[in-house]
Amino acid sequence: MNFTRRKISIDYKINRLWGKHSVGVFTKSKIEREPIVSKVSIIEDYIENSILNEHDYYLKIFDEGIQFIHYVYELAFINNTKMNKETEKKESVVFTIYISRLCNLLVSIRRLVISGFEEPARIISRSIIETIDIILVALFDKDFSTQLYEVLDNNYCEDKFWKENIAYGKINSKMKKLIEECDVDHNFKQSYLKNKKELKNLFSNSVHSSIIASRNSLFLPSLKHNKMYEKAIFGGISSETNKHLIMIFLEIESFSYFLLFFIIERPSSFFSKIDEFKEEIDKVFASYFVIRDLRIINKNNFISQWN
């Protein structure tokens, strides 16, 4: 996985918007002064008496990704109440549905990993990658979003739409077009698309029951016993767990960047009403800077997980 720098234009614009007001603990100065994992998380059931205790820093980092998505969900949900135009309503409903799914999937991964089922969690991770693609393309392409809304209660039409617009790699070409039109450093664009392809292939092995992925349901590289293999039929804490959490966290962090690009650079979209929700958007901005700083200050730690 590559770690590349990107343009700061969006970060600068977020800073300017955020600097106009602050809410409670979600203040610009606090985030800049203390760019570490927040002590308050959406998920409060941190594990006790577990082998993961000594490695739960990565779990807490993962929680910050969940928290960001949860704040986006809260913004999207309340934003629905202000939609007047029919097109805006459709886009807003579609976005809220998929951001809810994304939050749900992330919490599911967390619970599986804590229970010792890192390999089955990879099946959900593959769905997360696709869900992120759909969210971004829906924000980028109004026709795509509108069609998704219109097939909401029609299974036959949904299947047809899926085959024509998402399945068989069709969503990948839409994502490539989307990324190319964003004001992002070229190297970051290429790195993001390359990493996404690698993640899809990796997690697809678990979805399609490849022999290598399936082997980890029998024996897994043990975190408890210094990467020796142990029986895993009833679960176990894998030495691959931290790496898995990092991969999904970085995908969420990149998603946050592109999401805020649409919020800031495309005011004509259904996000045009968000200025009315200062508390909700402040939480999104604050959480964005937390996960961005986590990526920056943990770069070397993340890279070491690949070695």
Side-chain angles (χ1 to χ4, degrees):
M1 179 169 287
N2 297 320
F3 295 83
T4 57
R5 298 184 64 185
R6 61 199 185 200
K7 287 188 176 181
I8 62 171
S9 57
I10 298 300
D11 288 0
Y12 174 73
K13 291 176 182 179
I14 293 171
N15 262 310
R16 290 192 61 186
L17 287 173
W18 195 15
K20 294 179 181 179
H21 52 82
S22 60
V23 179
V25 298
F26 298 98
T27 62
K28 181 170 178 288
S29 60
K30 179 175 178 57
I31 297 300
E32 290 179 342
R33 183 176 68 252
E34 191 179 14
I36 59 175
V37 182
S38 65
K39 295 181 180 179
V40 180
S41 174
I42 178 181
I43 305 297
E44 297 179 350
D45 62 335
Y46 282 135
I47 46 178
E48 297 179 358
N49 301 320
S50 167
I51 185 63
L52 267 183
N53 274 335
E54 59 182 293
H55 296 277
D56 70 345
Y57 182 64
Y58 292 107
L59 190 65
K60 292 176 181 177
I61 289 176
F62 186 77
D63 280 357
E64 294 300 335
I66 297 177
Q67 184 160 276
F68 172 78
I69 298 302
H70 183 252
Y71 286 149
V72 174
Y73 157 76
E74 289 183 329
L75 175 62
F77 192 85
I78 194 171
N79 188 57
N80 275 303
T81 65
K82 297 293 183 178
M83 295 297 100
N84 297 317
K85 296 181 181 179
E86 189 65 25
T87 302
E88 289 180 343
K89 288 181 180 178
K90 292 178 179 179
E91 291 179 45
S92 186
V93 168
V94 167
F95 179 82
T96 306
I97 287 173
Y98 277 101
I99 206 70
S100 302
R101 172 178 171 79
L102 182 56
C103 190
N104 191 271
L105 292 174
L106 288 168
V107 174
S108 298
I109 285 180
R110 190 186 193 281
R111 296 196 180 281
L112 281 172
V113 164
I114 288 176
S115 300
F117 295 100
E118 192 268 334
E119 168 56 31
R122 292 179 175 234
I123 299 172
I124 299 176
S125 291
R126 179 60 180 82
S127 186
I128 282 176
I129 305 301
E130 186 168 78
T131 299
I132 287 175
D133 286 354
I134 292 172
I135 292 172
L136 290 177
V137 172
L139 287 174
F140 177 77
D141 187 339
K142 287 187 176 182
D143 290 338
F144 180 88
S145 182
T146 300
Q147 290 179 63
L148 266 178
Y149 178 86
E150 291 173 349
V151 302
L152 191 57
D153 296 316
N154 190 319
N155 290 335
Y156 173 78
C157 290
E158 183 188 28
D159 185 58
K160 183 175 183 293
F161 173 82
W162 202 265
K163 290 178 179 178
E164 292 178 353
N165 294 276
I166 298 175
Y168 314 118
K170 292 183 176 65
I171 193 73
N172 296 336
S173 60
K174 295 180 185 293
M175 274 296 296
K176 185 177 180 180
K177 182 179 179 182
L178 177 159
I179 299 301
E180 288 175 349
E181 294 198 16
C182 289
D183 180 25
V184 179
D185 179 77
H186 176 73
N187 289 334
F188 176 65
K189 291 179 185 180
Q190 297 303 311
S191 174
Y192 178 68
L193 292 172
K194 180 176 180 292
N195 290 341
K196 182 178 284 289
K197 182 178 180 180
E198 290 176 353
L199 287 182
K200 284 183 176 180
N201 291 337
L202 175 64
F203 295 138
S204 290
N205 289 336
S206 297
V207 172
H208 301 298
S209 301
S210 77
I211 187 65
I212 294 177
S214 298
R215 178 185 59 190
N216 289 331
S217 294
L218 176 60
F219 294 108
L220 57 77
S222 173
L223 183 63
K224 183 177 181 181
H225 299 293
N226 195 26
K227 296 189 178 182
M228 294 177 63
Y229 279 81
E230 64 175 307
K231 291 181 180 179
I233 188 66
F234 295 119
I237 306 303
S238 169
S239 61
E240 293 294 305
T241 297
N242 289 344
K243 181 178 178 180
H244 185 178
L245 294 175
I246 292 168
M247 288 188 288
I248 299 302
F249 169 79
L250 290 174
E251 180 68 15
I252 294 299
E253 195 271 338
S254 295
F255 166 72
S256 73
Y257 185 77
F258 290 112
L259 176 65
L260 293 186
F261 173 87
F262 282 104
I263 290 178
I264 293 173
E265 298 288 6
R266 296 195 170 210
S268 60
S269 71
F270 71 85
F271 277 119
S272 59
K273 304 288 185 181
I274 61 172
D275 195 49
E276 300 179 29
F277 314 118
K278 294 185 182 299
E279 181 174 351
E280 286 74 20
I281 194 62
D282 263 15
K283 289 179 180 179
V284 171
F285 285 168
S287 186
Y288 165 77
F289 279 110
V290 167
I291 62 176
R292 183 207 63 172
D293 288 343
L294 284 172
R295 174 182 61 85
I296 294 172
I297 66 178
N298 284 284
K299 179 178 177 179
N300 291 336
N301 290 336
F302 291 167
I303 291 175
S304 69
Q305 292 295 320
W306 270 257
N307 297 330

